[in-house]
Amino acid sequence: MKSVYFNAFVGTASGVFKGVTAVEKCDLYVKNLDSLKTATNKNPITAMNWGDGFEEEVVIGYGSQLVKIYNLKTRSFTMAEEKKCGEGAIIGISRRNCVLLTAVESGLVKLWREGSDPLTINTGGPLERVRPSPHHSNIIATGGKENDLKLWDTQTGEQTFSAKNVRHDDLELRVPVWITDMAFILNTRKVAVTTRHGYVRLYDPSTCTRRPVVSVQVPEQALTCISCSSKEHHVIVGSGSGQMNLVDLRSRGLVMNKYKGFVGGIKAIACSEEEPYIASVSLDRHFRVHHLYTKELLLKEYMQSKLTCLLVRSNFDLTEPEREESGESSEERDKTKEEEKEKEESSSSDEAEEIFKNMPTVGEKRPKGTNLGKKKHKS
């Protein structure tokens, strides 16, 4: 039997990799692309990216620094290896020209080349995110807590750009640095970043200045993710409190559209490069698609699992694809959903049991001077 065309992929906290077919005014088709038997909350999916320029492979990074490659043509995993590099979970991953890149929370980036020793890059501090440039195959961007934006050449391991912190505030105090995500602006050399303190900043490495050329604040929001939209010079940003905005990075910058419908913090955003669609996943376990201009919530689907990552095709749209028949019957899909639901419920109960087990025992000793439950009688 032929397989279904997936236009989006999500990763979960239990390590389940899912394929999604999103079509407007239709129920989402969701399929687990790996076995539920191997899923565990101790090894979540923490990063995903395309493994080639043709979007036929997906590279997946896990919390234990396990790396898998899923081939969309053969519908199978072609690689599953541990790529140890420093401490912490994988927070950035890519594969270009047979060179695999993994980046971990401790600040190390490692390039795994076939037939030669791996190249290690020390970025100078802890990392929140590492993104490869879609326009230059050998350029990556890094950033984290007190580790400002840097651009690196993966062929030589040399740093090509280092951002300079903004000037002191009105009280002449240093502004803290905490980069949470970054995005390369389409068809330019510019890089936009989000910060935990609610700022969206735009850097232009082609100029002589190292400070941001545009800096705009989304008030009272801790920004967690960013994605370039199909609208030129505009990005979509999401926050930990469940707010998503369109931000204009022209001139001095402007916070524009607010997209509603979120309950939990936004974990990841991905926009189509050609169509006005915004896909997102959040802590409330929902996959959503909004319209860029009308702000309408077009699709919303509960995904059973805690969602951590999102990847969509560059030509992502909601039109009905030339659907190929799937070898999976509706009964089998229902059975898969039931198995996943049972696994999520059991994992949640295990977590609760572990929390209660580790709670300290409250003693029964009463404080001095108290005489509860007894009345004093006058003699």
Side-chain angles (χ1 to χ4, degrees):
M1 288 287 186
K2 295 181 179 179
S3 54
V4 175
Y5 173 86
F6 296 115
N7 54 5
F9 302 89
V10 296
T12 70
S14 57
V16 178
F17 176 58
K18 299 171 179 279
V20 178
T21 301
V23 178
E24 191 172 9
K25 297 180 181 179
C26 295
D27 292 335
L28 263 70
Y29 175 80
V30 183
K31 180 177 173 59
N32 295 329
L33 301 180
D34 55 358
S35 174
L36 286 172
K37 295 179 181 179
T38 60
T40 169
N41 286 341
K42 295 182 180 179
N43 196 22
I45 294 177
T46 52
M48 293 196 307
N49 212 332
W50 295 111
D52 58 2
F54 304 102
E55 298 184 354
E56 293 178 352
E57 287 184 340
V58 180
V59 189
I60 310 166
Y62 291 79
S64 65
Q65 299 189 17
L66 173 69
V67 175
K68 289 185 179 181
I69 297 178
Y70 184 81
N71 188 289
L72 300 179
K73 282 189 172 181
T74 62
R75 302 287 179 177
S76 62
F77 288 95
T78 58
M79 171 187 163
E81 296 180 13
E82 283 193 348
K83 298 291 185 180
K84 293 295 183 180
C85 171
E87 297 180 356
I90 292 177
I91 47 85
I93 193 167
S94 68
R95 187 169 179 262
R96 301 278 185 86
N97 302 322
C98 298
V99 178
L100 177 68
L101 179 148
T102 60
V104 294
E105 294 172 325
S106 59
L108 295 182
V109 177
K110 204 160 189 175
L111 301 166
W112 308 83
R113 295 186 172 95
E114 295 182 4
S116 62
D117 295 333
L119 173 65
T120 302
I121 299 174
N122 189 340
T123 62
L127 292 175
E128 288 273 338
R129 194 77 65 198
V130 172
R131 298 284 189 189
S133 170
H135 319 300
H136 303 90
S137 59
N138 61 323
I139 297 296
I140 61 169
T142 65
K145 187 175 183 180
E146 294 303 330
N147 188 4
D148 217 336
L149 174 71
K150 297 183 181 73
L151 301 183
W152 303 84
D153 188 332
T154 56
Q155 289 185 342
T156 62
E158 298 295 325
Q159 181 179 296
T160 61
F161 174 80
S162 177
K164 190 175 183 180
N165 196 12
V166 296
R167 291 181 174 85
H168 290 188
D169 62 14
D170 296 337
L171 299 176
E172 285 301 317
L173 298 175
R174 176 185 176 274
V175 178
V177 174
W178 196 339
I179 305 296
T180 55
D181 201 359
M182 65 281 296
F184 287 86
I185 305 300
L186 298 177
N187 304 318
T188 69
R189 294 187 60 189
K190 299 176 182 178
V191 185
V193 305
T194 52
T195 75
R196 188 72 69 179
H197 305 288
Y199 285 92
V200 184
R201 296 189 173 117
L202 181 68
Y203 295 86
D204 190 354
S206 62
T207 63
C208 58
T209 179
R210 293 166 51 200
R211 286 196 168 103
V213 293
V214 177
S215 181
V216 56
Q217 186 179 22
V218 183
E220 300 179 357
Q221 297 296 318
L223 301 180
T224 56
C225 49
I226 184 173
S227 177
C228 287
S229 71
S230 58
K231 189 175 183 180
E232 192 175 6
H233 303 298
H234 289 69
V235 295
I236 302 292
V237 299
S239 76
S241 61
Q243 181 171 315
M244 188 165 75
N245 291 92
L246 175 69
V247 179
D248 184 353
L249 292 178
R250 295 172 297 181
S251 185
R252 295 184 178 180
L254 179 65
V255 179
M256 300 176 64
N257 298 355
K258 181 178 178 181
Y259 302 89
K260 299 181 180 180
F262 297 94
V263 178
I266 302 172
K267 293 293 292 182
I269 297 172
C271 299
S272 172
E273 294 181 7
E274 303 173 3
E275 304 294 336
Y277 298 123
I278 310 164
S280 61
V281 294
S282 57
L283 289 177
D284 58 8
R285 305 189 183 196
H286 279 83
F287 171 90
R288 294 178 175 86
V289 179
H290 286 82
H291 194 282
L292 177 66
Y293 301 113
T294 66
K295 301 183 288 185
E296 181 184 358
L297 178 60
L298 302 174
L299 289 173
K300 176 182 175 182
E301 182 75 11
Y302 183 70
M303 303 288 280
Q304 304 289 343
S305 307
K306 296 177 183 178
L307 306 178
T308 57
C309 300
L310 173 64
L311 184 67
V312 303
R313 294 184 183 272
S314 57
N315 60 349
F316 175 81
D317 61 30
L318 300 181
T319 58
E320 181 74 30
E322 293 183 1
R323 182 146 327 206
E324 300 171 340
E325 292 189 6
S326 171
E328 186 181 39
S329 65
S330 59
E331 293 181 0
E332 290 174 335
R333 290 196 295 270
D334 293 340
K335 185 179 179 182
T336 301
K337 286 185 178 180
E338 286 297 325
E339 289 178 353
E340 184 174 355
K341 187 176 180 180
E342 290 175 4
K343 189 169 188 66
E344 286 295 327
E345 289 175 353
S346 64
S347 62
S348 299
S349 62
D350 290 343
E351 288 179 5
E353 187 177 341
E354 187 175 352
I355 290 172
F356 283 115
K357 185 178 179 181
N358 294 331
M359 288 179 66
T361 304
V362 179
E364 297 181 354
K365 188 176 181 181
R366 293 172 182 168
K368 293 181 179 179
T370 61
N371 192 16
L372 301 176
K374 296 183 179 180
K375 294 183 179 180
K376 293 183 178 180
H377 300 280
K378 294 183 179 179
S379 58

